[in-house]
Amino acid sequence: EGPSYSSPMLMDVGGVRQVVVMTEASVVGLALDDGRLLWQLPFQAGRMAYNASTPIVDGQTVIYAGSGRGTKAVRIERKADGFGATELWSCDTAPQFCSAVLKDGMLFGLSDKGNIYCIDAKTGTLAWLDGTNRRNFGAMLDVGPCLVLLPEGGELLVFKPSRTGYEEVAKYKVSENATYAHPVLSGNRLYIKDRDSLALWTL
């Protein structure tokens, strides 16, 4: 299988450290010490979709998602013959490009339809889906009391990690050009890379 656009994550199951990563058509767990395959879950993208969202590891739970296939949570457990995955829940809502953020037991992301959403990470229930279409590319950050989303339109959104609905705190126009790079927050400094330039904003 070829690579995907997601990043690898680390987890520990029964004392075995693993790298969890999406490939072109699967979600896999690889032993950190020698790279051997420990478990594999098929996750083939259809038509023009591909695996771009980074999986989330929460203890022994792995949450992964893809456009047209929803968001899924599985528990990875050690068994007599190796490792196995048990599905915990599945939700139809999922991102295309934006990796979701897990905060306070809730999963926040930007859907493949361009809407900010919140999923209960314990049950997989869709808590809310914001009605505003912000296009389907964006990068989300957990900045403590708030979440920050930078959609491709160049408007930085700051909102509360609410369980009941989208609660915007502030928004700033940080670029007139398309923004596809992940913003970088360092102390009170925020670095924004758009199509043509890199800018520094202070908070």
Side-chain angles (χ1 to χ4, degrees):
E1 292 185 18
S4 73
Y5 292 89
S6 69
S7 300
M9 300 293 288
L10 290 176
M11 73 183 302
D12 187 302
V13 179
V16 178
R17 298 191 72 196
Q18 307 181 17
V19 178
V20 179
V21 67
M22 275 195 185
T23 68
E24 185 179 26
S26 303
V27 183
V28 299
L30 307 174
L32 184 62
D33 58 355
D34 60 10
R36 70 187 185 280
L37 180 66
L38 301 177
W39 52 269
Q40 182 174 16
L41 299 170
F43 201 58
Q44 177 69 58
R47 295 183 293 178
M48 297 298 291
Y50 46 85
N51 289 332
S53 180
T54 295
I56 291 174
V57 172
D58 183 25
Q60 290 183 224
T61 299
V62 175
I63 302 172
Y64 59 100
S67 180
R69 291 156 293 157
T71 300
K72 301 178 185 299
V74 295
R75 180 175 175 82
I76 307 300
E77 297 177 301
R78 194 162 191 173
K79 301 181 182 298
D81 57 348
F83 292 86
T86 302
E87 184 170 302
L88 301 177
W89 53 258
S90 179
C91 178
D92 290 339
T93 303
Q96 168 63 18
F97 304 106
C98 177
S99 295
V101 170
L102 179 63
K103 188 170 182 65
D104 300 331
M106 307 300 285
L107 197 66
F108 298 89
L110 182 68
S111 78
D112 52 7
K113 303 295 190 297
N115 307 101
I116 300 173
Y117 65 84
C118 174
I119 296 173
D120 187 314
K122 184 177 181 180
T123 65
T125 302
L126 180 64
W128 55 263
L129 182 71
D130 184 55
T132 302
N133 187 326
R134 295 178 171 86
R135 291 182 271 184
N136 62 3
F137 189 93
M140 191 173 292
L141 294 173
D142 180 354
V143 294
C146 295
L147 298 173
V148 169
L149 174 67
L150 180 62
E152 62 184 275
E155 190 170 60
L156 189 76
L157 306 175
V158 183
F159 64 100
K160 293 181 180 180
S162 170
R163 294 173 175 265
T164 57
Y166 179 67
E167 295 184 32
E168 189 170 272
V169 175
K171 60 182 175 183
Y172 308 94
K173 188 65 175 177
V174 294
S175 176
E176 296 300 327
N177 296 317
T179 47
Y180 297 114
H182 209 285
V184 175
L185 181 66
S186 178
N188 70 332
R189 298 185 173 193
L190 183 66
Y191 297 88
I192 303 291
K193 172 70 174 71
D194 65 18
R195 188 182 57 200
D196 301 318
S197 62
L198 176 66
L200 168 62
W201 292 72
T202 55
L203 307 176

